[in-house]
Amino acid sequence: MPRKGEGKMKKIVAMMALWMLGVVLPVYAADLKVGDQATGFNLKDPTGKEYSLESPLYKSKVVVVFYADPGSKDLNNDLQNALKGARESGKIDKKNYEGLGIVNLKDSMVPNWLLRSMIKSKQEETKAVILTDPSYIVLNAWGLTKSTSNIILLDKQRVCRYIQKGKVPQADIARVISLIQEYQVK
């Protein structure tokens, strides 16, 4: 025989479970694929300056996003160096291309204040924009993988043209540069 209030409690628990599914599933359901439109975001750099894909620095440009947790920041240095070389040699038009770093702060054992300080120093040294994602905003919106490096190439209309979760294969480096060249004139 049910106890007094047990039926009401079951209804409350069921309603909470349905609400959680409605809130949590859409956040994790999206998985950005080649050909998909990337959702926008607003993130800050370590100095507190806010950026989005529509910020003047990125608007109407092809953007390669390096999204990584601090432990895998060097995983795709080969691609980063190749892009830097292609940009310096003129293979990639500096006016129509930008790189963007986003650091996943949530996957690190290092305190966020220390990571922000390290990122700020790196940003000042390299003149690169490095944003922080303390709450998995981009990771969840794009369906990226935690605890690794993710590379995303977006054309000027923010359509994904290349995505790699983990290390970019050596054979893909020339392909990424070719895609940038193709889409920076479209």
Side-chain angles (χ1 to χ4, degrees), residues 5 19 21-22 35 39 44 51-52 62-63 65 102 110 113 123 125 127-128 132-134 143 168 170 175 177 182 184:
W19 177 80
L21 284 173
T39 58
K44 294 179 180 176
Y51 289 86
S52 75
V62 173
V63 178
V65 179
I102 302 177
V110 178
W113 65 267
Q123 188 168 287
E125 171 193 329
K127 306 297 184 227
T132 60
D133 187 4
V168 172
Q170 195 67 36
R175 183 171 162 238
I177 292 170
E182 177 183 347
Q184 68 185 3

Side-chain angles (χ1 to χ4, degrees), residues 31-86:
D31 217 15
L32 186 66
K33 295 176 213 61
V34 172
D36 289 350
Q37 183 84 32
T39 58
F41 58 80
N42 290 307
L43 295 175
K44 294 179 180 176
D45 73 3
T47 68
K49 184 174 179 184
E50 190 172 270
Y51 289 86
S52 75
L53 290 173
E54 295 309 312
S55 295
L57 184 59
Y58 303 106
K59 192 173 179 85
S60 301
K61 293 182 181 180
V62 173
V63 178
V64 174
V65 179
F66 286 77
Y67 186 101
D69 75 279
S72 65
K73 66 179 175 46
D74 297 328
L75 186 63
N76 282 304
N77 277 351
D78 291 346
L79 175 62
Q80 192 171 16
N81 292 334
L83 290 172
K84 183 179 178 184

Side-chain angles (χ1 to χ4, degrees), residues 149-174:
S149 174
N150 297 265
I151 304 298
I152 305 93
L153 183 136
L154 303 174
D155 69 16
K156 294 176 184 182
Q157 289 73 43
R158 303 303 169 236
V159 173
C160 178
R161 298 301 175 182
Y162 179 88
I163 187 164
Q164 176 67 38
K165 298 172 182 179
K167 184 160 180 61
V168 172
Q170 195 67 36
D172 278 10
I173 292 176

Side-chain angles (χ1 to χ4, degrees), residues 75-143:
L75 186 63
N76 282 304
N77 277 351
D78 291 346
L79 175 62
Q80 192 171 16
N81 292 334
L83 290 172
K84 183 179 178 184
R87 192 172 181 170
E88 288 172 355
S89 71
K91 287 183 181 178
I92 295 176
D93 182 0
K94 295 177 185 181
K95 291 182 229 157
N96 292 308
Y97 162 80
E98 280 295 334
L100 170 63
I102 302 177
V103 178
N104 168 2
L105 295 181
K106 213 168 186 177
D107 280 341
S108 177
M109 301 294 266
V110 178
N112 284 354
W113 65 267
L114 182 56
L115 280 173
R116 282 188 179 95
S117 176
M118 292 167 29
I119 295 165
K120 184 178 176 185
S121 294
K122 181 77 169 179
Q123 188 168 287
E124 289 168 354
E125 171 193 329
T126 63
K127 306 297 184 227
V129 174
I130 305 170
L131 307 179
T132 60
D133 187 4
S135 304
Y136 289 156
I137 291 168
V138 174
L139 184 125
N140 288 337
W142 293 356

